[in-house]
Amino acid sequence: SGKTFFWKNKILTNLKKPNIYISLYGKDSIDTIQQELFMKISNKQTADNDVVSKAYSVFSFFGRSISGFGINGKQLFEDLDSANKKIQNNTALKRLSKGETIICFDDFERKSIKIDLHDLFGFITQLALEFKCKLVLILNEDLFEGKDAEIFSRVKEKTVNKFIEFKPTIEDLFNSIYTSNQQYDNKLSKYKEIILSSIQEVDELNARTYFQILDNCIEYHKHYPSAESKHIRTLCIATFIFTNYNMIFNPSKIKPEIHNALKIE
């Protein structure tokens, strides 16, 4: 329903604090998430101290690197001391330790099944407790199934202190996306109403589909500048069906008696 679009195009433009965006789409381990977060934060600059214990608590790959050293007592402490200094001097951790970072985790429902949701919330909770980060979780909880649904229902009450339901109307979401790109208004202004009514006809509330429809309409208009509203309506509905059900329409003339097949109940 355009949650990511709203965050990136409406919220971020008004944030004054430093922020990091992490999509969980395709991530298959907590390590992968940690490393991406760490790498993005490393590009910032800040200064702080006393971050060693926080780093060990939150970023597990530090702990594993230490455990790889020998068991000789003296050497172990020397290695630990060396690692501690490296951590203290790390730009990413210094920036985190200021407690001013806003971290947004998106696409929870699209994470790999290899990631245990309980472990993921554990990592996020540690970020909040140890580094005092402000955390934003963007998700569609209706898409959680089975074990994940149970875990989310149980954990969210303990880890999340504010819920905001994002539920725009079709017209609100369409206008937001339509005005985000000047190219849409420049090339599709005369088709705007038919595009919107076509989307309302199929009752679609998905930002990615809207972008696909608008981009297809621009491409079609480029080849057929004299396209009529009925052609644009057909293209919009066909795009909706393709993006949602992967059904392909072969180019052929539609007989008048089966024209109603294009009408979506």
Side-chain angles (χ1 to χ4, degrees), residues 229-246:
S229 292
K230 63 181 181 181
H231 303 144
I232 296 299
R233 171 184 172 273
T234 300
L235 177 59
C236 291
I237 294 176
T239 301
F240 159 76
I241 294 175
F242 175 75
T243 55
N244 284 274
Y245 306 105
N246 293 324

Side-chain angles (χ1 to χ4, degrees), residues 43-234:
N43 294 327
K44 313 293 182 180
Q45 292 183 350
T46 187
D48 198 13
N49 52 28
D50 191 29
V51 298
V52 178
S53 61
K54 298 177 183 178
Y56 285 132
S57 175
V58 178
F59 296 99
S60 61
F61 54 83
F62 279 124
R64 283 197 304 279
S65 65
I66 296 302
S67 65
F69 295 132
I71 60 174
N72 178 279
K74 181 179 179 181
Q75 182 64 42
L76 176 60
F77 282 111
E78 289 178 355
D79 290 336
L80 283 171
D81 185 59
S82 175
N84 287 348
K85 289 180 179 179
K86 290 180 180 179
I87 294 173
Q88 287 175 332
N89 292 327
N90 188 280
T91 304
L93 292 174
K94 287 180 179 179
R95 182 177 187 278
L96 263 184
S97 66
K98 293 189 70 176
E100 297 181 352
T101 306
I102 298 172
I103 303 174
C104 175
F105 289 98
D106 195 4
D107 297 318
F108 265 71
E109 63 276 16
R110 296 185 178 90
K111 71 173 181 61
S112 169
I113 59 175
K114 295 180 181 179
I115 296 180
D116 185 279
L117 192 62
H118 196 276
D119 293 340
L120 181 56
F121 267 100
F123 167 62
I124 291 172
T125 300
Q126 285 180 311
L127 281 173
L129 294 176
E130 301 290 351
F131 288 99
K132 309 301 179 186
C133 297
K134 296 294 184 181
L135 297 164
V136 177
L137 315 180
I138 300 179
L139 51 83
N140 183 350
E141 64 178 305
D142 294 334
L143 295 183
F144 286 122
E145 299 178 346
K147 180 182 176 182
D148 278 356
E150 295 178 11
I151 293 175
F152 180 73
S153 177
R154 183 172 63 254
V155 173
K156 69 177 182 180
E157 302 299 336
K158 299 180 180 179
T159 59
V160 182
N161 60 20
K162 184 176 292 184
F163 298 88
I164 301 174
E165 182 181 29
F166 182 72
K167 195 173 182 180
T169 65
I170 289 177
E171 186 172 3
D172 289 338
L173 181 58
F174 175 80
N175 286 331
S176 179
I177 290 174
Y178 183 86
T179 57
S180 69
N181 189 335
Q182 188 62 44
Q183 183 179 213
Y184 293 149
D185 197 45
N186 289 343
K187 299 183 178 181
L188 299 174
S189 59
K190 70 176 181 178
Y191 301 120
K192 180 182 177 181
E193 293 306 317
I194 189 61
I195 295 173
L196 174 57
S197 65
S198 299
I199 292 174
Q200 290 172 326
E201 186 178 350
V202 296
D203 195 26
E204 173 72 338
L205 189 64
N206 185 290
R208 293 179 180 86
T209 302
Y210 290 12
F211 279 115
Q212 186 70 54
I213 287 174
L214 289 166
D215 290 342
N216 281 0
C217 287
I218 285 180
E219 184 177 357
Y220 187 82
H221 180 259
K222 178 182 177 181
H223 294 286
Y224 305 100
S226 60
E228 299 178 34
S229 292
K230 63 181 181 181
H231 303 144
I232 296 299
R233 171 184 172 273
T234 300

